[in-house]
């Protein structure tokens, strides 16, 4: 199992979520973060006072998938997050030791399979 951590622009999210759900990969966590890449800060002025902004808002996606789903997940993120402009984001891929479904105690990659009823409830 791998965890894909992607820092992307907010605008790309809906299409990524939609596409992954259609591919049978609906499970993810997202959070709003602030970050900086390799660029230096840029200067803004507010009522005459200049401030340098180093941090920009990004969306962080955390998606744990079976090894066999890594490439198509990454490809989907790239497809919608890429504009070619600086700040498109970054994707990190981490090893995941184990996964446990709290309700059943099941462990391992089985925990990542979509819900059998495809139910929207209790997500
Ligand atoms: N090495 C890193 N560690 C953790 N988070 C990072 C790292 N690099 C980038 N990020 C996160 O990704 C976001 C987007 O980074 P960004 O796309 O600006 O990367 P970049 O390397 O500067 O590439 P680009 O030249 O395309 O802007 C950052 O705001 C930050 O939240
Ligand atoms: Mg950057």
């Amino acid at each position: 199992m791998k965890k894909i951590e992607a820092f992307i622009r907010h605008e790309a999210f809906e299409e990524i979520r939609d596409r992954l759900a259609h591919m049978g990969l609906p499970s993810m966590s997202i959070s709003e973060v602030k970050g900086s890449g390799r660029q230096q800060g840029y200067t803004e002025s507010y009522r005459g006072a200049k401030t340098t902004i180093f941090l920009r808002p990004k969306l962080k996606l955390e998606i744990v998938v079976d090894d066999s789903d890594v490439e198509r997940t990454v490809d989907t993120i790239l497809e919608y997050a890429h504009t070619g402009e600086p700040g498109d984001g970054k994707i990190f891929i981490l090893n995941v030791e184990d996964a446990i479904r709290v309700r059943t105690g099941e462990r391992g990659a089985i925990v990542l399979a979509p819900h059998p009823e495809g139910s929207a409830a209790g997500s």
Side-chain angles (χ1 to χ4, degrees), residues 39-46 49-56:
Q39 278 84 13
Q40 300 300 306
Y42 69 103
T43 303
E44 269 187 4
S45 60
Y46 176 70
K50 289 201 164 150
T51 44
T52 304
I53 313 287
F54 291 99
L55 297 171
R56 295 196 181 245

Side-chain angles (χ1 to χ4, degrees), residues 3-7 74 90-94:
K3 179 178 179 181
I4 296 162
E5 281 191 6
F7 296 85
V74 168
K90 272 206 181 124
I91 302 172
F92 300 98
I93 301 174
L94 296 77

Side-chain angles (χ1 to χ4, degrees), residues 15-103:
E15 282 177 312
I16 291 170
R17 188 203 55 76
D18 200 53
R19 189 78 204 101
L20 288 175
H22 277 95
M23 288 163 50
L25 298 168
S27 306
M28 66 173 68
S29 296
I30 69 165
S31 44
E32 293 186 308
V33 298
K34 286 188 176 174
S36 57
R38 59 187 170 174
Q39 278 84 13
Q40 300 300 306
Y42 69 103
T43 303
E44 269 187 4
S45 60
Y46 176 70
R47 296 185 180 171
K50 289 201 164 150
T51 44
T52 304
I53 313 287
F54 291 99
L55 297 171
R56 295 196 181 245
K58 293 282 169 187
L59 219 52
K60 178 183 178 186
L61 313 187
E62 296 177 69
I63 309 173
V64 178
V65 295
D66 192 77
D67 288 3
S68 61
D69 288 322
V70 170
E71 287 310 313
R72 61 191 187 128
T73 302
V74 168
D75 286 349
T76 300
I77 296 169
L78 287 174
E79 181 178 349
Y80 296 108
H82 174 266
T83 70
E85 297 297 319
D88 272 356
K90 272 206 181 124
I91 302 172
F92 300 98
I93 301 174
L94 296 77
N95 282 317
V96 172
E97 290 285 326
D98 205 354
I100 303 163
R101 176 174 286 121
V102 172
R103 177 170 59 85

Side-chain angles (χ1 to χ4, degrees), residues 1 26-27 64 98-117 122-123:
M1 287 174 285
S27 306
V64 178
D98 205 354
I100 303 163
R101 176 174 286 121
V102 172
R103 177 170 59 85
T104 58
E106 292 161 287
R107 294 182 84 122
I110 185 76
V111 164
L112 306 175
H115 204 277
E117 290 98 53
S123 57

